[in-house]
Structures are given as C-alpha cells and as structure tokens.
Amino acid sequence: MFDTQPSRDELLALIAPCKGLPGPLLVMLHAIQDRVGYVPASAIPVLAEELNLSRAEVQGVISFYHHFRDRPPAKRRIEICRAESCQALQGDRLTAHIEQRTRLRLGETSADGSMSLQPVYCLGLCSASPALMIDGTVHARVTPERFDELLSQMETRE
Ligand code: FES
C-alpha cells in the first residue's frame, strides 16, 4: 500500500505489466487497487491516455464495478452477499441485523472511515449461504448471532 497518492510514474510502473493483456483496463484497475488500496482520481487520465480511451469511459468502468473504490478503504470492511442464494436464505434478515449493529446502511462508510458496509454479488459460497466477507476473509452460514461473535472478535483485535 502507498502512504500517499501514487505519482504518475508509479502508476505507469504499476500498469506496465498489464499492457497487451486482454481486457487491459480491468486488469490495470485491479493492479492499481491491489497496490494502492483504491483507484485514485489521478489514475483516470493516466489510464485514458495509455489505452486511448476517454476519461469518461474509464470513469464509467470504475463506477460500474462495485469492487473498485475511489477512496481509501475503511479500516474494517464488511461485505455482505446480496445475490440470489444468500437473499433466499435469510440474507435480508442478516443484512438488517448488521445494519442495526454497525449503525451503517448498506453502501455506507462511517464518518471516521473506521468501517464500511458494502454489498457484493456472490462470493462463490452459495451452498453455504448466507455469506459475507470481513476484511477479505469469507464467512459462510452466517446467522445474526454468528455475526455478533465476529463483530466482537473484530473489536477485540482493535
Ligand atoms: S449468492 Fe451469496 S455466495 Fe453466492
């Protein structure tokens, strides 16, 4: 992770290995977010120039995919699966419980940047729904009670 916004040269170095690959914009966006933690606004003109796209086209792709962030991630990231299988297996009830416990609505980040609550669409654990991810670790068959345990483990680690 970078402590400050990467420079143009650092961005160019990050995306250089992706040149010539199929679907280079997505690959480059992943490369930037993996290293920087998010896709800074300063990357948009660099990507547009390198791929001969308009800035609006690059911005459109970033906005389309929920995965890409345009600001540094929260310290604690909770991502709840909102796809079909998880919704069918008490996903709405779990989401409502998590919103109530975290005092965040789905899609929000706390004002101090300490926690975010984001939707994701399938974590590949449909047979063990409902599923969620906390700081990149997936959890399956999550009940409200299990979420409370995970939350208190998170608070203990802080
Ligand atoms: S639908 Fe939730 S993990 Fe697939």
Side-chain angles (χ1 to χ4, degrees):
M1 290 259 196
F2 287 75
D3 291 334
T4 58
Q5 285 220 2
S7 67
R8 176 184 167 76
D9 286 346
E10 287 168 329
L11 288 167
L12 286 170
L14 276 177
I15 63 176
C18 313
K19 280 189 179 176
L21 295 176
L25 178 55
L26 283 177
V27 181
M28 289 175 179
L29 289 169
H30 279 288
I32 292 170
Q33 183 157 295
D34 288 350
R35 284 296 309 281
V36 181
Y38 67 108
V39 180
S42 60
I44 293 173
V46 175
L47 290 166
E49 207 172 290
E50 288 297 304
L51 296 172
N52 200 23
L53 298 169
S54 71
R55 292 179 184 199
E57 286 171 309
V58 175
Q59 180 63 60
V61 171
I62 295 169
S63 308
F64 180 78
Y65 291 99
H66 289 279
H67 175 74
F68 297 119
R69 294 181 288 269
D70 61 1
R71 63 199 66 192
K75 194 169 152 219
R76 293 284 181 214
R77 286 168 290 119
I78 302 170
E79 297 168 84
I80 307 175
C81 180
R82 300 296 295 148
E84 199 171 311
S85 173
C86 288
Q87 286 220 44
L89 288 165
Q90 303 286 323
D92 286 342
R93 180 172 159 251
L94 177 65
T95 300
H97 176 79
I98 294 172
E99 286 182 328
Q100 187 251 325
R101 287 303 314 271
T102 60
R103 296 193 185 126
L104 291 172
R105 304 284 297 176
L106 210 51
E108 283 184 348
T109 298
S110 59
D112 64 359
S114 64
M115 186 179 286
S116 66
L117 190 58
Q118 298 296 328
V120 289
Y121 296 91
C122 197
L123 293 166
L125 290 169
C126 313
S127 61
S129 296
L132 55 73
M133 192 153 59
I134 297 177
D135 297 337
T137 302
V138 290
H139 301 273
R141 292 195 177 93
V142 181
T143 60
E145 295 74 25
R146 176 66 184 137
F147 176 78
D148 289 347
E149 289 171 15
L150 294 167
L151 187 62
S152 71
Q153 287 168 13
M154 278 166 66
E155 289 164 352
T156 308
R157 285 196 305 264
E158 287 176 350

